[in-house]
PDB file of all heavy atoms in Angstrom:
ATOM      1  N   GLU P 253      45.583 321.566  -6.195  1.00  0.00           N
ATOM      2  CA  GLU P 253      44.260 320.974  -6.047  1.00  0.00           C
ATOM      3  C   GLU P 253      43.955 319.897  -7.087  1.00  0.00           C
ATOM      4  O   GLU P 253      43.166 318.993  -6.852  1.00  0.00           O
ATOM      5  CB  GLU P 253      43.180 322.069  -6.088  1.00  0.00           C
ATOM      6  CG  GLU P 253      43.119 322.887  -7.381  1.00  0.00           C
ATOM      7  CD  GLU P 253      44.026 324.118  -7.353  1.00  0.00           C
ATOM      8  OE1 GLU P 253      45.228 323.951  -7.032  1.00  0.00           O
ATOM      9  OE2 GLU P 253      43.556 325.233  -7.658  1.00  0.00           O
ATOM     10  N   LEU P 254      44.655 319.985  -8.232  1.00  0.00           N
ATOM     11  CA  LEU P 254      44.423 318.970  -9.261  1.00  0.00           C
ATOM     12  C   LEU P 254      45.205 317.703  -8.920  1.00  0.00           C
ATOM     13  O   LEU P 254      44.665 316.593  -8.960  1.00  0.00           O
ATOM     14  CB  LEU P 254      44.860 319.517 -10.624  1.00  0.00           C
ATOM     15  CG  LEU P 254      44.666 318.599 -11.818  1.00  0.00           C
ATOM     16  CD1 LEU P 254      43.185 318.466 -12.161  1.00  0.00           C
ATOM     17  CD2 LEU P 254      45.439 319.118 -13.033  1.00  0.00           C
ATOM     18  N   CYS P 255      46.484 317.882  -8.571  1.00  0.00           N
ATOM     19  CA  CYS P 255      47.336 316.738  -8.263  1.00  0.00           C
ATOM     20  C   CYS P 255      48.310 317.170  -7.173  1.00  0.00           C
ATOM     21  O   CYS P 255      49.111 318.084  -7.375  1.00  0.00           O
ATOM     22  CB  CYS P 255      48.085 316.294  -9.516  1.00  0.00           C
ATOM     23  SG  CYS P 255      49.360 315.072  -9.186  1.00  0.00           S
ATOM     24  N   ASP P 256      48.255 316.521  -6.024  1.00  0.00           N
ATOM     25  CA  ASP P 256      49.063 317.013  -4.902  1.00  0.00           C
ATOM     26  C   ASP P 256      50.542 316.636  -5.001  1.00  0.00           C
ATOM     27  O   ASP P 256      51.350 317.091  -4.197  1.00  0.00           O
ATOM     28  CB  ASP P 256      48.471 316.553  -3.565  1.00  0.00           C
ATOM     29  CG  ASP P 256      48.365 315.042  -3.476  1.00  0.00           C
ATOM     30  OD1 ASP P 256      48.740 314.348  -4.452  1.00  0.00           O
ATOM     31  OD2 ASP P 256      47.887 314.546  -2.432  1.00  0.00           O
ATOM     32  N   THR P 257      50.918 315.804  -5.971  1.00  0.00           N
ATOM     33  CA  THR P 257      52.339 315.457  -6.094  1.00  0.00           C
ATOM     34  C   THR P 257      52.978 316.138  -7.301  1.00  0.00           C
ATOM     35  O   THR P 257      54.145 315.894  -7.603  1.00  0.00           O
ATOM     36  CB  THR P 257      52.527 313.932  -6.228  1.00  0.00           C
ATOM     37  OG1 THR P 257      51.787 313.472  -7.367  1.00  0.00           O
ATOM     38  CG2 THR P 257      52.048 313.213  -4.985  1.00  0.00           C
ATOM     39  N   TYR P 258      52.222 316.946  -8.012  1.00  0.00           N
ATOM     40  CA  TYR P 258      52.744 317.667  -9.165  1.00  0.00           C
ATOM     41  C   TYR P 258      53.145 319.090  -8.761  1.00  0.00           C
ATOM     42  O   TYR P 258      52.704 319.595  -7.742  1.00  0.00           O
ATOM     43  CB  TYR P 258      51.672 317.728 -10.262  1.00  0.00           C
ATOM     44  CG  TYR P 258      51.850 316.702 -11.371  1.00  0.00           C
ATOM     45  CD1 TYR P 258      52.843 315.733 -11.310  1.00  0.00           C
ATOM     46  CD2 TYR P 258      51.020 316.719 -12.497  1.00  0.00           C
ATOM     47  CE1 TYR P 258      52.984 314.799 -12.323  1.00  0.00           C
ATOM     48  CE2 TYR P 258      51.154 315.786 -13.514  1.00  0.00           C
ATOM     49  CZ  TYR P 258      52.144 314.827 -13.424  1.00  0.00           C
ATOM     50  OH  TYR P 258      52.287 313.921 -14.426  1.00  0.00           O
ATOM     51  N   PRO P 259      53.969 319.747  -9.595  1.00  0.00           N
ATOM     52  CA  PRO P 259      54.292 321.152  -9.322  1.00  0.00           C
ATOM     53  C   PRO P 259      53.089 322.049  -9.603  1.00  0.00           C
ATOM     54  O   PRO P 259      52.106 321.618 -10.212  1.00  0.00           O
ATOM     55  CB  PRO P 259      55.427 321.441 -10.305  1.00  0.00           C
ATOM     56  CG  PRO P 259      55.273 320.436 -11.395  1.00  0.00           C
ATOM     57  CD  PRO P 259      54.680 319.213 -10.763  1.00  0.00           C
ATOM     58  N   SER P 260      53.194 323.295  -9.167  1.00  0.00           N
ATOM     59  CA  SER P 260      52.041 324.194  -9.324  1.00  0.00           C
ATOM     60  C   SER P 260      51.907 324.667 -10.765  1.00  0.00           C
ATOM     61  O   SER P 260      50.812 324.931 -11.224  1.00  0.00           O
ATOM     62  CB  SER P 260      52.173 325.387  -8.382  1.00  0.00           C
ATOM     63  OG  SER P 260      53.367 326.075  -8.660  1.00  0.00           O
ATOM     64  N   ILE P 261      53.012 324.785 -11.482  1.00  0.00           N
ATOM     65  CA  ILE P 261      52.932 325.225 -12.880  1.00  0.00           C
ATOM     66  C   ILE P 261      53.060 324.014 -13.795  1.00  0.00           C
ATOM     67  O   ILE P 261      54.021 323.247 -13.699  1.00  0.00           O
ATOM     68  CB  ILE P 261      54.030 326.256 -13.192  1.00  0.00           C
ATOM     69  CG1 ILE P 261      53.787 327.515 -12.372  1.00  0.00           C
ATOM     70  CG2 ILE P 261      54.077 326.554 -14.690  1.00  0.00           C
ATOM     71  CD1 ILE P 261      54.873 328.526 -12.493  1.00  0.00           C
ATOM     72  N   LEU P 262      52.085 323.853 -14.668  1.00  0.00           N
ATOM     73  CA  LEU P 262      52.094 322.726 -15.594  1.00  0.00           C
ATOM     74  C   LEU P 262      51.971 323.242 -17.021  1.00  0.00           C
ATOM     75  O   LEU P 262      51.362 324.282 -17.256  1.00  0.00           O
ATOM     76  CB  LEU P 262      50.915 321.794 -15.295  1.00  0.00           C
ATOM     77  CG  LEU P 262      50.894 321.132 -13.913  1.00  0.00           C
ATOM     78  CD1 LEU P 262      49.576 320.392 -13.708  1.00  0.00           C
ATOM     79  CD2 LEU P 262      52.067 320.181 -13.739  1.00  0.00           C
ATOM     80  N   VAL P 263      52.561 322.531 -17.960  1.00  0.00           N
ATOM     81  CA  VAL P 263      52.396 322.890 -19.370  1.00  0.00           C
ATOM     82  C   VAL P 263      51.485 321.852 -20.010  1.00  0.00           C
ATOM     83  O   VAL P 263      51.809 320.662 -20.027  1.00  0.00           O
ATOM     84  CB  VAL P 263      53.748 322.967 -20.099  1.00  0.00           C
ATOM     85  CG1 VAL P 263      53.541 323.324 -21.560  1.00  0.00           C
ATOM     86  CG2 VAL P 263      54.660 323.983 -19.424  1.00  0.00           C
ATOM     87  N   ILE P 264      50.352 322.318 -20.499  1.00  0.00           N
ATOM     88  CA  ILE P 264      49.373 321.404 -21.093  1.00  0.00           C
ATOM     89  C   ILE P 264      48.931 321.955 -22.447  1.00  0.00           C
ATOM     90  O   ILE P 264      49.187 323.112 -22.768  1.00  0.00           O
ATOM     91  CB  ILE P 264      48.143 321.227 -20.159  1.00  0.00           C
ATOM     92  CG1 ILE P 264      47.482 322.587 -19.924  1.00  0.00           C
ATOM     93  CG2 ILE P 264      48.539 320.599 -18.838  1.00  0.00           C
ATOM     94  CD1 ILE P 264      46.133 322.471 -19.246  1.00  0.00           C
ATOM     95  N   PRO P 265      48.257 321.129 -23.262  1.00  0.00           N
ATOM     96  CA  PRO P 265      47.798 321.611 -24.576  1.00  0.00           C
ATOM     97  C   PRO P 265      46.820 322.778 -24.416  1.00  0.00           C
ATOM     98  O   PRO P 265      46.084 322.850 -23.424  1.00  0.00           O
ATOM     99  CB  PRO P 265      47.094 320.398 -25.187  1.00  0.00           C
ATOM    100  CG  PRO P 265      47.632 319.227 -24.456  1.00  0.00           C
ATOM    101  CD  PRO P 265      47.961 319.704 -23.075  1.00  0.00           C
TER     102      PRO P 265
END
Side-chain angles (χ1 to χ4, degrees):
Chain P
E253 61 271 51
L254 181 71
C255 170
D256 58 359
T257 58
Y258 260 5
S260 59
I261 295 174
L262 298 173
V263 179
I264 60 169

